[in-house]
Amino acid sequence: MVTRKSEVKEYLHSCISAYQEKGVSACVLELGSQILNRKVKFPLLEFCAHELSQKIKEGEQIMLCDKIEALRTEGGNVILGIMLQNRLENHFQKSIDKATEYTSKANIWYVCDIIGERVYGFALLHYPAKTIPEIRRLSNHPEKWVVRSLGAGVHYAVRKGLDKQNVATVFSILITMANTKDKEIRQGVGWAAKTTARFHPDVIEQYHAEIHDQEKVANWF
């Protein structure tokens, strides 16, 4: 397990050197062998992603992300999430769309939760007016993993201090997903609902009638 920033900096240096000398593909090869094939603590992976966001040309960052996603490593999702997060300010829609593309390809829960928190969650917390319509739109996405990742994002934003008015709006969207039988969606949406109850019990009280509508809301919710 890599636990020291000094150690991960050495590995990252070889990745950035490969990029500067040979380009994106060489960088990803180094990332795979030096960092993503090792067990690295998530905060150190986030550090790597912030560094890569500064060193990789803006026009080549999505290419880098696509190649990292193709490696299908757990740690790669952390790097993807932070790199897309860093692009939200100037490339909001493209970052949301890429997060959706990556989570739609998931075959295990942690892909959704890692990317969902870092992209949808961060976006909801910092750009709620732009993000809430996206959450509403994606709540009807045909791929269960995308919908699960929205739950992870809402959980993150509520836990990090999303204001009450926006929490209430997002909770009303969660209720529209509360009749699903899919285990993955139930876990993601349920996680977000539990966090809402913990931080904003008054919002739960506000939607008391809707929550207890047995035709629209399943018992698990």
Side-chain angles (χ1 to χ4, degrees):
M1 169 71 80
V2 179
T3 58
R4 298 195 318 275
K5 187 181 280 189
S6 58
E7 187 180 355
V8 88
K9 272 183 173 179
E10 283 185 35
Y11 302 143
L12 185 62
H13 177 73
S14 67
C15 301
I16 291 168
S17 295
Y19 167 71
Q20 291 167 341
E21 291 171 19
K22 298 178 183 175
V24 169
S25 294
C27 177
V28 174
L29 277 175
E30 284 295 304
L31 269 172
S33 62
Q34 298 284 357
I35 295 173
L36 298 179
N37 285 339
R38 288 183 162 96
K39 283 193 176 296
V40 182
K41 286 204 165 187
F42 278 18
L44 294 178
L45 290 170
E46 293 187 338
F47 163 75
C48 291
H50 287 303
E51 290 292 304
L52 289 167
S53 292
Q54 292 180 353
K55 301 292 185 184
I56 306 296
K57 292 175 185 173
E58 193 171 336
E60 294 182 326
Q61 288 177 4
I62 293 299
M63 187 197 313
L64 180 86
C65 288
D66 286 345
K67 289 179 181 296
I68 291 172
E69 190 278 331
L71 296 177
R72 293 298 180 100
T73 62
E74 183 176 0
N77 296 299
V78 179
I79 293 178
L80 295 177
I82 294 297
M83 290 197 72
L84 292 178
Q85 179 187 112
N86 287 339
R87 291 173 60 86
L88 281 165
E89 185 175 358
N90 296 321
H91 306 279
F92 179 85
Q93 193 60 52
K94 181 74 170 176
S95 297
I96 295 292
D97 291 347
K98 271 290 165 184
T100 304
E101 177 188 327
Y102 296 151
T103 53
S104 70
K105 294 178 180 178
N107 56 9
I108 193 164
W109 62 269
Y110 61 68
V111 177
C112 317
D113 295 3
I114 291 170
I115 296 176
E117 285 195 28
R118 287 164 179 78
V119 185
Y120 301 133
F122 186 93
L124 177 58
L125 185 62
H126 293 276
Y127 311 100
K130 286 200 284 189
T131 307
I132 288 173
E134 293 297 317
I135 291 175
R136 184 173 281 112
R137 176 178 69 85
L138 292 170
S139 69
N140 294 308
H141 197 281
E143 180 50 69
K144 65 183 179 182
W145 299 111
V146 173
V147 184
R148 175 179 172 129
S149 68
L150 298 176
V154 173
H155 156 79
Y156 172 93
V158 173
R159 185 168 57 86
K160 291 290 187 179
L162 183 65
D163 65 280
K164 180 181 167 182
Q165 185 177 347
N166 284 315
V167 170
T169 302
V170 173
F171 188 75
S172 70
I173 302 172
L174 294 179
I175 290 175
T176 68
M177 298 181 267
N179 218 4
T180 183
K181 292 180 173 62
D182 186 276
K183 177 176 76 76
E184 301 301 336
I185 296 175
R186 282 165 61 166
Q187 287 185 342
V189 170
W191 192 23
K194 279 182 184 176
T195 305
T196 303
R198 179 182 166 198
F199 287 90
H200 293 277
D202 47 342
V203 169
I204 305 298
E205 190 58 38
Q206 180 183 332
Y207 285 98
H208 179 85
E210 290 88 340
I211 291 168
H212 290 88
D213 182 339
Q214 293 185 347
E215 287 187 10
K216 295 179 180 177
V217 176
N219 284 336
W220 64 265
F221 190 86

